Amino acid sequence: MSGFVPVNRYTYKMTISEQDILRTLMKSRDRIAAVAWVVVRDAHAAEDIFQNVALKALTKEVSFETEGAVLSWAFITARREGIDWLRRHRKESTGLEPEILDLLEQEWLSETARSGEVRMEALRVCLKTLPEKSSLLLRLRYFEGNSCREVAKKLGTGLNVVYKRLSRLHQGLKECIEIRLNESEATKS
Amino acid sequence: MKDAESNRELLLRYLDGNLLPEEQARVADLLRCDPEARAFLREVAEQAVTVADAERVEEHRRRELGARREWAGNRREALSRIGGSRTRFARWPWAVAAAAVVALIASVVLLRPKAELAIVRITELNGAVRWTGGGGRVVPALNVGRSLLGGTLEPLSADSWAELTFRDGSTVTVSGQSVLTISEYRQKELHLRSGNLSASVMPQPDGKPMLIHTPTARLEILGTQLNVEAELSSTMLSVNAGSVRVTRLADGSVAEVRAEQQVVASADRHAELTVNRRPGPVTAWQSNLPTDRLHGNWLSGPGNSNGGLRTAPMLWGDPEKPITLYLVSLSVSRDRPTPVLLTSGTKFRIRGQIESAGNVFFGFTTRHVNGGFAGKFLVERHFEVVQEAGKSLDIQLRLEDFRPQEEKLIEKYPEAFPASPVGLELFDWWCCTINEDAGLKITHVELDAGIVESNILSDDEQI
């Protein structure tokens, strides 16, 4: 349920309730975590950062007028938390300039929460269809946080082979998502 | 097409931190100007977090499966009940995870105190480490990335250790056989019942210092780097940065310990609670058995002259398929306030007995000078068939022979975990065999750059 905050004696503006803020954040959880991941490149840290962002949104005295405002704030906060995390863990910055991070976040923002949610569900289905070797590669790289060199060593292959396989794997997943989304659209119509 | 693929590989190398300096500018231009490149980067980021999330949910599902089997007590009945719910988990892992996070965050904000949030996350881990959480539930094997509520952490073996990170960035490393209970209600509280802990503590809120309780002392920390060794009868604290207030429990005596100082808080109220400047390091050390014993069975000989520490078994690793370590471990710092510095050209000399052939692992734990945990190093030696029982063992190992226990940590954190032990402090020493009791007994260990090579048979010539 939304609330009303008096702006002046005769005008009121609508703000989003805590429950709606939470709902918006949860629908876009993957994108917020992805923003953090681009900075910290650690999936577990990115998840922690998402939780911190959600907690801040609910406990700090910040009000939002629209879903877009929530997301915009969440992306900026996730980026800042990521930079703080790098500093605390004595790591150097990602090297991406602020203008490039801004471009990435704007493109993420331009996607609606609903379409993002549908796409992520399609991604999860596509992940389940991967052969074991591909799943293992992704698990070693992104869940266990190994560098590509470590992954190559564990798999007994060359470093360039790992880059090639990852590149094709990511591209393949993207194509799988698009096929699923098209199928879903065709079913609806 | 080929350009697009090579751009993707370039971006993956960038994310891997594996670019030449001239390539950095190329990546920045690519991302600035090419929407396809940015789209790929966003895809990779989303896929990375989704893969990790799916693995976490799957891991949670496997743990739930294991826990339900235990409770049910009837394996077949438990599986038939779980079959339906497993399908639901498999089909909707996102919904389960999302619902769990919604419930957690909503309950924190709307209904419950902040203490219900995860207190720490495991940021590094090695060896057998056990966790006992709320309600007394035991988790025999942990993994990096796991978030924990309050509970008790136990590295079980000399080569085990874990690094925990609090929400505010404070880190605690527990190494070797230790028992540490953590909680955070109004403030962070750690109970180190025994063992070793290094902590780098971020500035704490006013009036809410981090508290570390040991059997003999209470430590109040506002923001510092420190090392603590706790036993039933005494606690040794050394502070590397900041200051710590120590209260001795035996009589309430209080002392302030500042950077480069140390103190021993004994259970004996008649002992002095004196803060001393940390002495400069020495470069030689000799074991004092059985006083230095951390693990192993003491076998005394006539007049203790032939006494030695025999390896004792302990289970290690996956509880479904455990490994048995036959282990001896020694403290280097017990009753010795002077740190031992590892220098180039130093050798370990180890004397004792071994009764059968096999591979023996020798290792030690290090700390940074005036700093915290710096990793463990080990080396393996093979001993050939022994003709006689109780064959004497007298070997030397050069410091340069030892390799880091966790190679990947060196790549990730080269300053915190150096590739060489030279320049680090020696903290403890251990040796073990795996799954086979070779009848290994240690009578003496020493570290000295002055050990003369020509007087000692090399380890390959011993047996």
Side-chain angles (χ1 to χ4, degrees):
Chain A
M1 200 162 78
S2 303
F4 287 85
V5 173
V7 175
N8 58 41
R9 194 175 167 180
Y10 302 108
T11 309
Y12 291 82
K13 67 175 180 181
M14 194 165 73
T15 61
I16 300 180
S17 68
E18 274 186 1
Q19 283 85 348
D20 286 341
I21 291 172
L22 192 58
R23 199 171 297 123
T24 302
L25 292 173
M26 287 309 303
K27 278 196 299 188
S28 303
R29 173 188 175 200
D30 50 88
R31 283 184 288 163
I32 297 168
V35 166
W37 188 90
V38 168
V39 177
V40 302
R41 290 179 241 164
D42 178 319
H44 304 296
E47 169 65 21
D48 286 348
I49 287 169
F50 166 75
Q51 293 196 20
N52 287 344
V53 168
L55 200 57
K56 273 187 178 170
L58 297 174
T59 57
K60 289 211 175 247
E61 291 191 6
V62 188
S63 62
F64 303 102
E65 291 178 29
T66 63
E67 186 180 279
V70 174
L71 288 180
S72 182
W73 172 90
F75 286 167
I76 292 170
T77 306
R79 189 206 301 192
R80 281 199 197 127
E81 292 265 325
I83 293 169
D84 281 346
W85 184 92
L86 284 176
R87 197 181 318 122
R88 286 197 305 269
H89 289 78
R90 302 181 296 270
K91 291 187 180 204
E92 287 187 11
S93 165
T94 181
L96 274 184
E97 293 157 14
E99 64 166 308
I100 297 176
L101 290 172
D102 285 341
L103 278 172
L104 291 169
E105 286 161 22
Q106 278 165 27
E107 284 162 358
W108 258 311
L109 262 177
S110 66
E111 201 180 53
T112 65
R114 175 66 192 149
S115 65
E117 200 181 3
V118 167
R119 214 159 50 75
M120 294 317 297
E121 184 55 35
L123 171 57
R124 285 174 186 271
V125 172
C126 289
L127 283 171
K128 287 199 174 300
T129 65
L130 287 178
E132 176 56 34
K133 276 187 183 172
S134 301
S135 296
L136 175 63
L137 177 59
L138 293 176
R139 189 164 60 240
L140 287 173
R141 179 73 180 103
Y142 299 122
F143 179 67
E144 294 185 17
N146 295 291
S147 68
C148 289
R149 190 175 299 279
E150 287 159 355
V151 171
K153 196 174 165 188
K154 285 179 193 272
L155 296 180
T157 186
L159 180 57
N160 285 337
V161 170
V162 169
Y163 288 132
K164 273 197 177 359
R165 283 176 62 187
L166 272 176
S167 168
R168 286 172 191 164
L169 197 46
H170 285 301
Q171 187 64 12
L173 282 169
K174 184 185 169 206
E175 287 162 7
C176 175
I177 292 168
E178 282 162 13
I179 291 170
R180 293 211 156 263
L181 292 178
N182 290 337
E183 280 172 358
S184 171
E185 285 295 323
T187 308
K188 281 182 194 165
S189 59
Chain B
M1 185 70 147
K2 200 171 172 190
D3 277 345
E5 188 165 337
S6 71
N7 284 343
R8 288 196 290 270
E9 286 178 30
L10 180 67
L11 289 172
L12 288 172
R13 286 201 291 118
Y14 157 72
L15 291 170
D16 192 32
N18 187 19
L19 281 185
L20 300 169
E22 56 269 23
E23 290 175 320
Q24 297 271 2
R26 203 174 127 214
V27 166
D29 283 339
L30 186 64
L31 289 172
R32 200 178 293 114
C33 304
D34 186 351
E36 289 293 323
R38 290 195 300 274
F40 178 71
L41 187 61
R42 285 187 288 114
E43 286 284 350
V44 171
E46 286 174 358
Q47 288 172 24
V49 300
T50 307
V51 163
D53 188 66
E55 284 293 327
R56 273 193 291 272
V57 171
E58 178 61 21
E59 214 175 64
H60 176 79
R61 187 191 68 80
R62 280 197 294 267
R63 279 200 297 274
E64 286 294 315
L65 200 66
R68 287 184 192 186
R69 278 181 185 155
E70 265 178 62
W71 276 106
N74 182 331
R75 192 182 177 92
R76 193 174 298 170
E77 188 188 346
L79 280 174
S80 67
R81 273 194 278 125
I82 288 163
S85 61
R86 179 162 53 193
T87 304
R88 286 198 295 277
F89 271 108
R91 190 175 298 164
W92 303 110
W94 169 256
V96 169
V101 175
V102 169
L104 175 68
I105 294 178
S107 66
V108 163
V109 173
L110 302 172
L111 297 173
R112 294 186 190 167
K114 194 174 173 183
E116 295 291 303
L117 278 178
I119 292 173
V120 292
R121 188 164 70 88
I122 296 180
T123 39
E124 290 300 340
L125 188 72
N126 186 76
V129 181
R130 183 169 61 200
W131 171 256
T132 304
R137 185 173 161 193
V138 177
V139 179
L142 295 169
N143 57 278
V144 172
R146 181 169 179 153
S147 294
L148 303 171
L149 297 171
T152 299
L153 191 76
E154 296 174 81
L156 298 173
S157 170
D159 69 330
S160 306
W161 61 274
E163 180 188 77
L164 312 173
T165 301
F166 287 85
R167 286 193 302 269
D168 68 350
S170 300
T171 60
V172 168
T173 304
V174 203
S175 162
Q177 288 159 299
S178 305
V179 183
L180 175 71
T181 302
I182 56 169
S183 65
E184 184 172 12
Y185 290 100
R186 293 183 61 251
Q187 64 204 108
K188 297 178 186 59
E189 287 199 58
L190 281 61
H191 294 256
L192 182 66
R193 275 188 271 155
S194 65
N196 313 295
L197 171 160
S198 291
S200 294
V201 182
M202 303 296 279
Q204 299 297 291
D206 285 343
K208 294 182 184 178
M210 173 190 277
L211 298 177
I212 298 180
H213 304 272
T214 73
T216 63
R218 183 177 70 242
L219 315 179
E220 296 172 51
I221 301 133
L222 283 173
T224 186
Q225 205 288 321
L226 60 103
N227 299 313
V228 183
E229 297 167 53
E231 299 174 6
L232 279 177
S233 60
S234 70
T235 299
M236 178 147 107
L237 163 71
S238 55
V239 176
N240 300 306
S243 72
V244 177
R245 176 174 298 162
V246 177
T247 303
R248 183 166 69 181
L249 299 181
D251 61 358
S253 304
V254 177
E256 294 279 339
V257 185
R258 300 189 196 285
E260 297 182 28
Q261 292 181 335
Q262 64 187 31
V263 72
V264 175
S266 168
D268 179 3
R269 66 184 63 200
H270 300 297
E272 288 184 12
L273 184 70
T274 308
V275 177
N276 295 306
R277 184 166 179 78
R278 204 151 181 256
V282 297
T283 56
W285 164 74
Q286 289 194 25
S287 62
N288 179 17
L289 299 180
T291 304
D292 292 339
R293 171 192 165 271
L294 290 174
H295 188 88
N297 295 324
W298 174 250
L299 301 177
S300 57
N304 264 359
S305 58
N306 292 326
L309 208 53
R310 175 88 155 68
T311 53
M314 65 168 293
L315 292 181
W316 187 92
D318 184 347
E320 300 290 319
K321 285 187 244 177
I323 291 169
T324 302
L325 296 183
Y326 292 89
L327 173 73
V328 155
S329 63
L330 308 179
S331 168
V332 169
S333 57
R334 181 177 284 169
D335 295 340
R336 295 184 193 87
T338 307
V340 177
L341 186 68
L342 296 166
T343 54
S344 179
T346 308
K347 299 181 188 67
F348 282 100
R349 183 179 180 182
I350 300 127
R351 282 183 278 171
Q353 287 183 328
I354 188 168
E355 291 177 4
S356 59
N359 294 335
V360 180
F361 292 85
F362 300 91
F364 55 85
T365 307
T366 61
R367 276 189 184 158
H368 289 283
V369 174
N370 295 328
F373 177 69
K376 296 179 186 270
F377 295 81
L378 73 162
V379 70
E380 183 181 352
R381 284 292 180 265
H382 180 72
F383 293 89
E384 295 299 329
V385 173
V386 177
Q387 301 289 341
E388 311 155 22
K391 187 73 177 182
S392 286
L393 180 77
D394 192 339
I395 69 167
Q396 58 169 333
L397 298 168
R398 299 175 309 160
L399 201 62
E400 286 73 20
D401 292 338
F402 287 82
R403 59 177 167 80
Q405 186 187 44
E406 282 285 320
E407 303 270 358
K408 71 173 181 181
L409 288 180
I410 298 164
E411 285 185 39
K412 269 170 116 173
Y413 311 114
E415 285 184 27
F417 297 102
S420 164
V422 172
L424 301 176
E425 289 179 9
L426 179 66
F427 182 70
D428 64 34
W429 179 94
W430 45 270
C431 67
C432 68
T433 55
I434 298 178
N435 283 335
E436 297 290 335
D437 183 2
L440 185 59
K441 185 172 87 168
I442 301 298
T443 55
H444 182 77
V445 182
E446 65 179 289
L447 174 82
D448 200 330
I451 291 172
V452 178
E453 193 157 343
S454 58
N455 288 346
I456 310 294
L457 290 174
S458 73
D459 46 50
D460 290 333
E461 293 171 316
Q462 283 294 306
I463 300 171

